[in-house]
């Protein structure tokens, strides 16, 4: 984004949103396999609808996973434990439709090549402590808070499904204030008003007080900030009862909230030989270290690969005119200091571990947990010295 005045909006969804349920199931399968067989090949897709979960894809492994047990336990952990939420982990059907990876793909991956062609994007900026865009970070924090107040029974009437959306006003390219906050959360009928068509004002105020106020700093809020709480009126029917879910349909939620481009490939359910995932993590690692080093205030990096070929076919750096040195020099430093082959990425970021379920809700980037090795800024000082800044 150039330095100007504008409104920018990002959204997030809770772990109970049907698409996110599918992402989590796919990554839970991946974790279960990679925890037993670190070299297992996994491309797991999940589909969910009323009363049914279908788990499919291409998996090659020496390990065994009880798909039925895994799926039901995850649904229970998310909170689909009662018919009042439209889906029950005990009574739903679970269909296993998993096959093995194509040998045509395997022969290229076996020698260290990329598991597919494609382009991957990494991004970082100085808007937050996590070096992420502010709108997506606020949106994620709100959906995490929705889940927290539900699970801790602070608001006992909330269900697992939910969304947030945050619009930030920028002045001269810098976040200035929060213009609009949207919260849509599944709930039970007890908070409907006498018409039965919308939630009460009391419930609206409780959600603002318990969910929004603890998350968005007061300095970003003013009397002009607009709040929309369940703007359709009510959200009793939610989860897979109201909407089908599929793995990989929330790629903008998973990344930078639309502030940066997206390569197109989804992450969840894919083992790290798939550069859709691993190279996107590496690109974020690079971008974050570039910004942390002081070489630029913003960094957008594109990596591109050909299937079966180890080295990227291109490396592109765009700092949106914020660089302290030339973008050509930054690209040279990136190639010198980061491993960009699939195997090099796996080794450098330690990706053959069962770390992926945590990534499947509330964003793959801007996280502080130990599993998120691509969020480290351990190369920032090296880059700073080599850049001479």
């Amino acid at each position: 984004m150039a330095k100007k005045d504008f409104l920018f909006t990002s959204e997030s969804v809770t772990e109970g949103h049907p698409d996110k349920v599918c992402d989590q199931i796919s990554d839970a399968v991946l974790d279960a396999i990679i925890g037993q067989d670190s070299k297992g090949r996994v491309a797991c897709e999940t589909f969910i609808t009323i009363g049914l979960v279908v788990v499919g894809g291409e998996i090659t492994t020496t390990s065994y996973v009880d798909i039925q047990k895994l799926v039901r336990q995850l649904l229970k952990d998310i909170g689909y434990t009662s018919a009042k939420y439209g889906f029950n982990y005990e009574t739903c059907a679970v269909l296993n439709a998993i096959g093995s990876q194509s040998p045509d793909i395997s022969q290229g991956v076996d020698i260290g090549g990329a598991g597919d062609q494609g382009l991957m994007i990494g991004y970082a900026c100085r808007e937050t402590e996590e070096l992420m865009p502010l709108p997506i970070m606020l949106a994620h924090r709100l959906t995490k808070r929705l889940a927290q107040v539900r699970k801790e029974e602070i608001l006992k009437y909330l269900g697992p499904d939910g969304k947030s959306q945050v619009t930030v006003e920028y002045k001269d390219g810098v976040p200035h204030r929060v213009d609009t906050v949207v919260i849509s959360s599944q709930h039970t009928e007890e908070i409907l008003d006498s018409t039965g068509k919308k939630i009460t004002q009391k419930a609206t105020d409780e959600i603002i007080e318990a969910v929004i106020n603890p998350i968005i700093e007061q300095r970003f809020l003013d009397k002009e900030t607009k709040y929309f709480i369940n703007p359709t009126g009510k959200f009793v029917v939610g989860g897979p009862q109201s909407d089908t879910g599929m793995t990989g349909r929330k790629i903008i939620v998973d990344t930078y909230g639309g502030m940066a481009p997206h390569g197109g490939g989804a992450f969840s359910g894919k083992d790290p030989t798939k550069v859709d995932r691993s190279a996107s993590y590496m690109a974020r690692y690079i971008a974050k270290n570039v910004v942390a080093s002081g070489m630029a205030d913003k960094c957008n990096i594109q990596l591109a690969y050909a299937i079966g070929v180890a080295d990227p076919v291109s490396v592109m750096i765009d700092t949106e005119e914020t660089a302290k040195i030339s973008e050509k020099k930054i690209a040279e430093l990136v190639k010198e200091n980061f491993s960009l082959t699939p195997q090099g990425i796996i080794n450098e970021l330690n990706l053959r571990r069962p770390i992926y379920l945590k990534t499947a809700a509330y964003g793959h980037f801007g996280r502080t947990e130990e599993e998120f090795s691509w969020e480290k800024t351990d190369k920032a000082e090296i880059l700073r010295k080599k850049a001479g800044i």
Side-chain angles (χ1 to χ4, degrees):
M1 291 284 179
K3 286 191 173 182
K4 59 181 181 179
D5 299 347
F6 58 92
L7 295 174
F8 193 89
T9 302
S10 294
E11 71 161 343
S12 180
V13 298
T14 65
E15 63 208 63
H17 184 282
D19 291 332
K20 275 289 141 207
V21 172
C22 292
D23 284 343
Q24 289 168 91
I25 291 172
S26 293
D27 270 338
V29 171
L30 171 60
D31 277 356
I33 289 171
I34 209 168
Q36 303 173 60
D37 175 12
S38 64
K39 294 187 178 181
R41 301 275 172 79
V42 181
C44 181
E45 310 288 343
T46 304
F47 168 79
I48 193 169
T49 188
I50 301 174
L52 174 66
V53 179
V54 180
V55 183
E58 303 167 350
I59 297 177
T60 303
T61 181
T62 59
S63 64
Y64 169 75
V65 176
D66 187 334
I67 298 295
Q68 287 265 346
K69 183 178 180 181
L70 180 149
V71 169
R72 295 186 193 282
Q73 183 60 53
L74 185 60
L75 290 168
K76 180 182 180 182
D77 293 342
I78 290 170
Y80 283 112
T81 58
S82 170
K84 68 181 179 180
Y85 299 129
F87 204 85
N88 190 316
Y89 80 99
E90 291 181 299
T91 59
C92 68
V94 179
L95 176 62
N96 183 342
I98 294 172
S100 59
Q101 186 182 61
S102 163
D104 295 347
I105 297 175
S106 295
Q107 68 181 12
V109 177
D110 290 342
I111 59 173
D116 202 353
Q117 69 177 47
L119 53 120
M120 296 81 209
I121 301 294
Y123 182 77
C125 62
R126 294 195 179 279
E127 292 181 14
T128 64
E129 181 180 346
E130 298 87 356
L131 303 184
M132 286 283 287
L134 180 63
I136 188 64
M137 292 305 296
L138 291 179
H140 283 323
R141 290 168 188 162
L142 287 171
T143 50
K144 288 183 78 171
R145 179 63 180 171
L146 267 176
Q148 180 184 6
V149 299
R150 169 177 63 89
K151 291 178 177 180
E152 295 181 1
E153 297 190 339
I154 296 170
L155 299 178
K156 297 182 179 181
Y157 46 76
L158 295 185
D161 196 359
K163 290 185 174 183
S164 71
Q165 185 172 285
V166 179
T167 301
V168 174
E169 180 181 354
Y170 285 72
K171 287 189 177 294
D172 197 26
V174 177
H176 177 64
R177 57 181 289 275
V178 171
D179 182 80
T180 307
V181 182
V182 182
I183 296 290
S184 296
S185 182
Q186 184 183 14
H187 59 84
T188 55
E189 293 185 348
E190 66 189 83
I191 59 168
L192 295 177
D193 66 9
S194 58
T195 70
K197 294 182 178 180
K198 63 179 181 179
I199 63 173
T200 63
Q201 185 60 48
K202 178 176 180 290
T204 295
D205 293 341
E206 287 175 346
I207 292 171
I208 292 173
E209 179 64 28
V211 177
I212 298 174
N213 289 347
I215 296 302
I216 301 182
E217 293 179 56
Q218 201 62 38
R219 65 190 176 97
F220 287 122
L221 303 173
D222 57 34
K223 62 181 180 179
E224 302 299 323
T225 300
K226 299 177 284 293
Y227 301 94
F228 294 99
I229 310 301
N230 283 10
T232 66
K234 66 177 183 177
F235 189 178
V236 174
V237 180
Q241 183 182 17
S242 66
D243 190 13
T244 59
M246 294 183 70
T247 300
R249 287 206 300 200
K250 288 291 179 282
I251 60 176
I252 300 301
V253 172
D254 285 342
T255 54
Y256 307 102
M259 188 66 79
H262 195 289
F267 302 155
S268 289
K270 296 177 181 177
D271 75 78
T273 66
K274 279 74 170 174
V275 285
D276 277 341
R277 183 170 217 157
S278 55
S280 293
Y281 289 174
M282 177 54 76
R284 163 63 177 170
Y285 181 47
I286 293 168
K288 189 171 184 181
N289 276 272
V290 167
V291 171
S293 74
M295 290 194 292
D297 293 332
K298 297 180 180 181
C299 181
N300 181 10
I301 177 169
Q302 182 197 81
L303 304 175
Y305 292 83
I307 188 168
V309 179
D311 291 313
V313 298
S314 67
V315 178
M316 185 279 296
I317 299 286
D318 177 12
T319 64
E320 300 182 29
E321 300 181 352
T322 67
K324 309 301 188 294
I325 62 174
S326 72
E327 291 175 350
K328 181 180 179 181
K329 178 61 176 176
I330 294 175
E332 290 173 356
L333 290 172
V334 165
K335 293 175 185 177
E336 290 172 9
N337 291 277
F338 295 89
S339 300
L340 299 180
T341 65
Q343 192 57 53
I345 292 170
I346 289 169
N347 293 339
E348 185 158 342
L349 298 181
N350 193 16
L351 297 181
R352 290 197 186 277
R353 298 177 292 154
I355 59 173
Y356 297 102
L357 178 55
K358 281 189 177 181
T359 70
Y362 311 116
H364 293 246
F365 308 125
R367 305 284 291 270
T368 59
E369 297 95 317
E370 181 276 333
E371 291 89 346
F372 293 73
S373 55
W374 49 94
E375 290 296 315
K376 298 182 297 183
T377 55
D378 54 336
K379 293 198 175 185
E381 186 60 32
I382 295 171
L383 293 174
R384 184 182 299 115
K385 289 179 179 179
K386 290 189 176 182
I389 57 175

